[in-house]
Amino acid sequence: MSVAQTTPPLTLKPASGLIKKFSLTRAKEGVIKGLLFVCASLSLVTTLMIVWMFLTEAVFGIGGNTAFFQEVSLLDFLTDTQWSPQFSEKHFGILPLLCGTVVIAGIGGLIGLPIGLAAAIYLSEYAKPKLRRIIKPLLEILAGVPSVVYGYFALVFITPYVLRPIFQSLLGIDVDVFNAMSAGIVVGVMIIPTVCSLSEDALRSVPGGLREAGYALGSTNFDVSLKVVVPAAFSGIVASFLLAISRAIGETMAVCIGAGLMPRLSLNPFRSMQTMTAYMVNASLGDTPAGTIEYKSLYGVGFMLFLITLGMNILAQRVMKRFREVYE
Amino acid sequence: MTSSMTMDRTTDAATGFLGTRPEGSRMTIMQSFSDLMHQRQERETHKRTRPVETEVVAKLDVRNLNFFYGEKQALFDVSMTIAERSVTAFIGPSGCGKSTFLRALNRMNDIIEGARHNGTVLLEGQEIYAPDVDVVALRKRVGMVFQKSTPFPKSIFDNVAYGPKIAGQRNRKALSEIVEQSLKRAALWDEVKDRLQDSALALSGGQQQRLCIARALATNPDVLLMDEPASALDPASTARIEDLIFELKQNYTIVIVTHNMQQAARISDRTAFFFQGYLIEVDATQKLFTTPTKKQTEDYITGKFG
Amino acid sequence: MSVPPKLQEPHLARRHRIGKAFEWLCCGSTWFGIVVLGVLLLSVGWKAMTWPAPKAKPAGSPTASTEAQQLSPPLSKKFFTNYHSRNPREAGLLSALWGSLWLTVLVALFSVPIGVGSAVYLEEYSIEGRLKRLIQLNLSNLAGVPSIVYALLGMTAFVKMFGLFHKDEEKTLVVNLLFTTVDVPLPFDRTLISGALTLTLLVLPTVIVASQEALRAVPSSIRIASYALGATQWQTIRHQVIPAAMPGIMTGVILALSRAIGEAAPLMLIGALTYVAYTPGDISNVSDIFKNPQGLLDAPFDKFTAIPLQIYQWINQPKAEYSHVAAAGIVVLLTILLLMNTAAILIRHRFQKQTRW
């Protein structure tokens, strides 16, 4: 071993080398940390901007600007059954828009939630790993399809080739070109990946011991899935449902293209309906000048939409947190 | 070395063991350590290293160190000096505080939330926990090698050159020089000199650990702390690391934590025994293993517990 | 004492049948979405390759049908080189293609540094506490805000700048760079920069959360080893942590960008629904950049359109042919998104194979 001999002897450094000195490196550390903090706080600034925007444009105006709810009373907004900001006799009742939103999100939920959950059960309880590796990316692609494409699909495929042959030709129900049903169906398809992946996570976090206990009692696969695993993951599934419905409520382009722009207080899904989101797109199409009441109504409707989706998201987080506490 | 309070507590705990222990087995174990010492002395004379006992320069001087993780106290009033250019080994059962003490020597514990201490740690007479001490400068002088080899997912060259690079060395030629010297000191040069640009993750476990030692040497430290550097390695690799430590002590002050008493006996000049956060005994390795003064030490090295 | 009767399960066969049926139901549900995706792709693809059957023309005008036969399908070479046209058979998405490209580049420029920076702060610097919890909670809430609300925010904050500049005070800020000047309209109005900033706000939560996950996956032993060599915190992050987390960050960024490319709603209120018969900065092919480098600086302050907006516009056209033009646009959009998704999956796959912490 001649290793030590080939290396030169070391010189001892003075101990004073430990003292902090002002150096570029040290100054840089501080500056960088500051910059990164600014980055991280930008998300808080975004929220503050959203809140500030709704407060100043919808609740109380500033700088001589009157806000939406200063011109339209909250009571009228919530109880009036007509929404006609573009007509000469203006009505600002959110109910028709709310109705459109609820009907479409409801249809979407009726389709998307059970299918998404069943798919989650299949992936977590039945499917072999190989099949999962094929299906998961396909579902990701499904989730990545832009909503304008779904809207197009509803308008040019589902309405003329699915709804009209079944409901109009067979059952004699009139189906409008734009209708809530086609929009609801595509919204349902859109939320399948959300429900599926979140529910699957919930099902997978149920401990394997519970399943084994179920099988040991002579349960079939079906009994274990539906009577042991699903109840155990219940709150996680509920959270995924809430998030999916919240997404369905906020969905814009598919609904706008599929269901049209006719505010209507009705439960007939084969007529054209306008949702809150579709109204906001519609109002912007006409290039509404700032300062008019139609322009301000954007903020009134937007505020309502923001509060509803925020409420559902917070509720979903609460439920999810409770679920995690049980299993982690 | 240890405070009287420590003594009372630990003696009580240890007497129970002593009563039931057959005297014969103790003697054989002591004998085996004695043999080990003998072999080692032969090796040392052969290599003509200076006799340890003449070392007088204290590199590190720790006085009354208490260490806490949050509410939990991990070290109780530990005082110790560590001599320059020597190998000091820390032994003791797991959770005894030996790793905490080692990490206190280059302030690696600073990273852990809720860690605090009182007492003094002097590096060449300078308090390393003083508020005006730059912890980065400290760690450049007190290097560290970990139990699990932690090569960065980069090339072998970049791994070794990392320390000098971040210290501001940009000259490619100087860097190559440092990399070569460090790898030579770590006895890895011959094995990797033709593939310096290969990923460090492709090396074997023993090579990775020597790479980590080379990496630590590249920053030109005075002190090298090693936290069970060979515990995850096969016997052949362990032997190489031990040989390496033997070579390195001519230039560096080495502190090594080990769970393997034979290893401590083979390579260290002084050995410290930790138990339940207390430093029970520290002495010349030969003396500690053959004629320990404390009963806990004796129990531990004869395999009564730990 | 009576011996319990031996277990007899008269319903066992039925239970197995139910179980089997349930499995098939679940399997069917799993494939349902995928089948819909397949039908969607096929119908859109078919529409993009054919024109509508010509209506029965009155005798005496045979030219119309022969002309239709000679024309190339909606998705053809000229679709990429033409602007929108009043004649559906001449319509193309040149301006939308460049608009989307610009949006992608600008959104990446804004969202990657800010998003990765936020993630680094949250994961590496901030101590567990109220502030971190608040930011984290805020992020998950922002991720659930509907895109149309971001549109409203973009319109208010960037297009109108909260009304800071009244109608008569609107002005152009001339920014003097060393060798050239750039005209920046204030407020930003309905320009690319407004659209890009709006989309940045929209995708930022996604980028941050994905980057956080990637950073968290980097083993702490790497950080500790780097500190032990005397590296400062930023040096450790810059040289060790971020490079190790890079594949994960890239995957997240690509997925976020592909969301930004497909989003129409946030851009609706920004405008861009007017006919745009030019490309941003008048750059419509690569050689234009060398002919007119100033265009690169002017482009962000030009009015624009984007692929999903152009598609929506075509869907809204009354002529039936536009429906096929829209399909062609959708094929282009989906192809771009599919390529990006594939890239993300490939990066993730390679990453998983390589690492063995």
Side-chain angles (χ1 to χ4, degrees):
Chain A
M1 279 285 236
S2 58
V3 179
Q5 281 136 27
T6 57
T7 54
L10 286 171
T11 46
L12 272 181
K13 289 156 294 185
S16 61
L18 291 185
I19 298 298
K20 274 182 197 168
K21 285 174 295 202
F22 176 81
S23 74
L24 223 56
T25 328
R26 291 183 60 82
K28 212 170 95 185
E29 289 287 310
V31 171
I32 285 169
K33 189 174 174 186
L35 281 177
L36 294 175
F37 175 73
V38 170
C39 286
S41 53
L42 271 182
S43 66
L44 288 177
V45 172
T46 309
T47 307
L48 288 180
M49 284 203 309
I50 292 177
V51 172
W52 174 252
M53 167 181 85
F54 283 131
L55 287 184
T56 57
E57 300 282 346
V59 182
F60 51 84
I62 50 162
N65 195 17
T66 47
F68 178 70
F69 285 119
Q70 285 171 327
E71 295 190 26
V72 177
S73 83
L74 190 60
L75 191 71
D76 284 351
F77 183 71
L78 292 176
T79 56
D80 195 337
T81 56
Q82 280 187 57
W83 180 263
S84 56
Q86 277 114 332
F87 298 151
S88 53
E89 199 202 321
K90 295 182 191 308
H91 282 279
F92 292 96
I94 190 81
L95 285 177
L97 299 183
L98 206 55
C99 167
T101 299
V102 168
V103 166
I104 291 174
I107 297 171
L110 282 179
I111 294 168
L113 300 184
I115 292 181
L117 177 60
I121 293 175
Y122 186 74
L123 287 179
S124 115
E125 308 296 314
Y126 291 97
K128 296 194 170 61
K130 204 175 157 193
L131 188 65
R132 282 175 43 101
R133 274 205 298 278
I134 299 169
I135 288 179
K136 294 281 273 184
L138 284 174
L139 286 176
E140 271 176 47
I141 290 175
L142 195 66
V145 173
S147 74
V148 71
V149 177
Y150 280 112
Y152 179 83
F153 187 61
L155 184 66
V156 307
F157 186 83
I158 292 184
T159 301
Y161 296 114
V162 178
L163 296 181
R164 286 212 158 138
I166 296 176
F167 292 97
Q168 198 157 318
S169 309
L170 254 74
L171 302 172
I173 305 168
D174 273 346
V175 178
D176 288 356
V177 174
F178 299 105
N179 60 75
M181 189 55 124
S182 65
I185 291 173
V186 289
V187 166
V189 173
M190 289 173 84
I191 62 174
I192 288 176
T194 314
V195 179
C196 181
S197 81
L198 290 173
S199 294
E200 197 207 339
D201 288 346
L203 293 172
R204 295 189 141 246
S205 59
V206 172
L210 270 183
R211 291 188 183 84
E212 282 168 18
Y215 287 124
L217 293 174
S219 310
T220 60
N221 223 331
F222 166 71
D223 295 327
V224 169
S225 308
L226 217 58
K227 295 174 192 162
V228 177
V229 181
V230 170
F234 188 68
S235 44
I237 293 170
V238 168
S240 81
F241 281 10
L242 284 170
L243 284 176
I245 291 290
S246 154
R247 225 198 117 188
I249 290 173
E251 181 44 52
T252 307
M253 297 313 291
V255 166
C256 172
I257 297 170
L261 301 167
M262 187 69 211
R264 193 194 305 273
L265 188 60
S266 142
L267 290 175
N268 182 349
F270 300 107
R271 309 298 305 273
S272 172
M273 282 188 180
Q274 192 173 41
T275 62
M276 293 189 279
T277 52
Y279 169 72
M280 292 171 74
V281 169
N282 187 29
S284 71
L285 284 180
D287 196 19
T288 326
T292 60
I293 182 76
E294 295 102 279
Y295 174 79
K296 287 172 190 162
S297 70
L298 275 176
Y299 293 97
V301 176
F303 195 27
M304 186 84 182
L305 180 68
F306 177 68
L307 289 181
I308 294 174
T309 50
L310 184 69
M312 295 195 73
N313 285 336
I314 290 177
L315 195 63
Q317 281 160 17
R318 283 272 165 84
V319 175
M320 190 72 98
K321 200 177 153 212
R322 237 186 44 197
F323 174 67
R324 290 216 177 105
E325 276 164 4
V326 175
Y327 288 112
E328 281 167 16
Chain B
M1 281 289 164
T2 13
S3 70
S4 59
M5 189 199 81
T6 322
M7 279 300 308
D8 296 344
R9 221 191 105 166
T10 41
T11 321
D12 288 349
T15 17
F17 292 120
L18 288 169
T20 56
R21 178 164 43 79
E23 205 64 13
S25 73
R26 171 174 172 267
M27 287 319 291
T28 35
I29 292 169
M30 286 303 189
Q31 187 59 42
S32 77
F33 273 117
S34 179
D35 291 348
L36 220 90
M37 291 299 142
H38 190 66
Q39 289 166 17
R40 218 193 88 177
Q41 263 171 355
E42 277 180 356
R43 181 160 68 161
E44 289 202 10
T45 357
H46 182 67
K47 295 217 178 232
R48 282 191 225 126
T49 45
R50 288 155 299 167
V52 183
E53 313 307 331
T54 60
E55 286 286 355
V56 281
V57 185
K59 191 78 184 177
L60 283 158
D61 191 352
V62 184
R63 289 178 198 165
N64 307 104
L65 184 69
N66 288 291
F67 209 94
F68 306 85
Y69 294 115
E71 290 303 301
K72 194 178 166 291
Q73 186 162 3
L75 287 177
F76 297 86
D77 202 31
V78 176
S79 298
M80 187 194 298
T81 55
I82 291 166
E84 193 181 69
R85 296 180 198 219
S86 68
V87 178
T88 308
F90 296 167
I91 59 169
S94 46
C96 66
K98 56 190 193 300
S99 280
T100 301
F101 185 67
L102 186 80
R103 293 161 65 94
L105 299 181
N106 74 339
R107 292 180 59 176
M108 282 311 279
N109 288 325
D110 285 16
I111 299 167
I112 298 164
E113 252 174 76
R116 62 201 165 83
H117 79 289
N118 59 56
T120 343
V121 182
L122 303 173
L123 174 67
E124 290 178 1
Q126 194 181 9
E127 167 63 62
I128 67 167
Y129 282 96
D132 60 345
V133 163
D134 187 347
V135 66
V136 170
L138 170 73
R139 289 185 189 141
K140 278 180 187 146
R141 293 198 37 205
V142 184
M144 190 158 189
V145 175
F146 300 90
Q147 176 176 14
K148 196 169 164 283
S149 60
T150 51
F152 300 132
K154 298 183 168 193
S155 73
I156 294 169
F157 184 92
D158 286 341
N159 261 279
V160 183
Y162 178 67
K165 252 187 203 164
I166 56 170
Q169 179 60 267
R170 299 256 177 265
N171 187 330
R172 187 83 194 165
K173 199 161 164 268
L175 279 178
S176 315
E177 190 93 337
I178 294 172
V179 169
E180 183 177 339
Q181 278 187 14
S182 308
L183 284 170
K184 276 181 178 163
R185 284 205 190 102
L188 189 62
W189 175 250
D190 290 335
E191 289 158 65
V192 300
K193 65 182 174 197
D194 300 322
R195 45 175 181 144
L196 290 176
Q197 295 309 322
D198 287 8
S199 168
L201 296 173
L203 295 174
S204 75
Q207 286 173 326
Q208 284 189 4
Q209 194 59 293
R210 273 180 284 147
L211 179 72
C212 290
I213 294 174
R215 193 172 68 183
L217 296 180
T219 60
N220 202 9
D222 308 343
V223 183
L224 202 53
L225 307 177
M226 298 184 169
D227 192 351
E228 306 199 14
S231 69
L233 300 180
D234 58 278
S237 303
T238 304
R240 296 215 59 168
I241 300 277
E242 287 180 7
D243 286 343
L244 177 59
I245 290 171
F246 232 87
E247 299 294 339
L248 290 174
K249 91 172 179 188
Q250 298 185 13
N251 290 324
Y252 302 92
T253 305
I254 292 172
V255 186
I256 177 170
V257 163
T258 176
H259 66 272
N260 179 336
M261 279 177 285
Q262 270 78 14
Q263 185 172 59
R266 281 194 299 266
I267 60 175
S268 69
D269 303 309
R270 282 166 73 80
T271 299
F273 172 60
F274 285 82
F275 184 58
Q276 291 180 347
Y278 294 89
L279 173 63
I280 305 298
E281 189 170 358
V282 56
D283 216 327
T285 300
Q286 187 168 8
K287 186 162 176 298
L288 187 109
F289 277 105
T290 48
T291 51
T293 54
K294 304 288 186 323
K295 281 177 181 169
Q296 295 105 310
T297 317
E298 192 178 311
D299 280 356
Y300 183 68
I301 61 179
T302 52
K304 281 312 288 180
F305 69 92
Chain C
M1 235 171 88
S2 63
V3 179
K6 201 174 167 98
L7 264 176
Q8 284 290 334
E9 225 318 2
H11 304 304
L12 195 61
R14 217 191 76 198
R15 276 177 59 197
H16 277 302
R17 271 204 305 279
I18 293 175
K20 210 69 204 158
F22 179 72
E23 186 179 340
W24 281 108
L25 193 74
C26 289
C27 182
S29 300
T30 311
W31 288 100
F32 174 79
I34 293 161
V35 168
V36 171
L37 180 69
V39 172
L40 186 154
L41 293 179
L42 284 178
S43 62
V44 169
W46 174 73
K47 274 227 165 196
M49 297 313 290
T50 55
W51 289 112
K55 290 197 185 85
K57 294 271 175 180
S61 63
T63 46
S65 60
T66 49
E67 194 189 342
Q69 280 159 11
Q70 285 163 1
L71 278 169
S72 46
L75 186 64
S76 63
K77 206 178 151 200
K78 72 177 183 341
F79 186 64
F80 295 94
T81 53
N82 286 8
Y83 293 107
H84 172 72
S85 162
R86 280 175 209 289
N87 175 4
R89 303 197 181 222
E90 292 298 323
L93 84 171
L94 181 64
S95 50
L97 212 51
W98 279 93
S100 279
L101 181 67
W102 272 104
L103 279 177
T104 314
V105 171
L106 291 175
V107 171
L109 279 181
F110 297 139
S111 66
V112 172
I114 297 176
V116 176
S118 305
V120 166
Y121 184 82
L122 290 175
E123 286 304 308
E124 307 287 331
Y125 285 96
S126 81
I127 37 172
E128 293 294 328
R130 218 177 265 173
L131 182 69
K132 188 179 174 185
R133 273 208 307 278
L134 178 72
I135 293 179
Q136 213 68 63
L137 183 73
N138 183 49
L139 277 177
S140 50
N141 282 330
L142 276 181
V145 171
S147 53
I148 192 82
V149 172
Y150 280 103
L152 210 51
L153 177 65
M155 184 175 79
T156 316
F158 304 126
V159 175
K160 316 255 186 220
M161 288 200 170
F162 288 107
L164 282 178
F165 304 91
H166 288 289
K167 261 278 181 260
D168 43 334
E169 288 171 40
E170 278 174 20
K171 57 181 175 184
T172 305
L173 183 72
V174 181
V175 178
N176 204 345
L177 302 175
L178 276 177
F179 43 88
T180 181
T181 57
V182 183
D183 295 346
V184 179
L186 286 179
F188 284 152
D189 207 7
R190 299 163 182 272
T191 55
L192 257 177
I193 191 99
S194 294
L197 288 170
T198 308
L199 288 178
T200 301
L201 293 186
L202 177 79
V203 300
L204 212 44
T206 322
V207 174
I208 295 175
V209 171
S211 306
Q212 274 186 293
E213 269 164 28
L215 291 172
R216 236 175 276 156
V218 176
S220 59
S221 62
I222 291 221
R223 295 183 184 87
I224 291 170
S226 176
Y227 290 139
L229 291 172
T232 62
Q233 193 169 11
W234 173 243
Q235 284 170 333
T236 302
I237 293 166
R238 190 38 251 267
H239 295 285
Q240 303 299 345
V241 181
I242 291 183
M246 213 47 189
I249 293 175
M250 290 275 288
T251 311
V253 166
I254 292 175
L255 290 179
L257 284 181
S258 68
R259 187 178 166 205
I261 292 176
E263 276 285 359
L267 301 177
M268 299 294 289
L269 299 193
I270 306 295
L273 260 186
T274 42
Y275 291 102
V276 179
Y278 51 84
T279 51
D282 278 332
I283 296 169
S284 56
N285 63 53
V286 180
S287 65
D288 286 349
I289 296 173
F290 299 104
K291 271 184 249 162
N292 177 23
Q294 175 74 25
L296 283 180
L297 292 173
D298 291 337
F301 306 103
D302 269 344
K303 293 212 163 51
F304 72 106
T305 187
I307 300 176
L309 285 176
Q310 188 70 66
I311 292 169
Y312 179 70
Q313 201 184 335
W314 283 328
I315 292 174
N316 269 359
Q317 297 283 335
K319 282 188 197 165
E321 278 115 322
Y322 275 118
S323 166
H324 293 255
V325 179
I330 289 175
V331 170
V332 174
L333 180 61
L334 288 181
T335 308
I336 294 172
L337 295 185
L338 195 65
L339 287 178
M340 292 180 74
N341 269 285
T342 313
I345 290 171
L346 284 181
I347 291 175
R348 192 164 49 191
H349 190 67
R350 269 197 63 169
F351 176 54
Q352 278 167 351
K353 238 197 246 167
Q354 246 176 20
T355 33
R356 26 156 250 177
W357 308 114

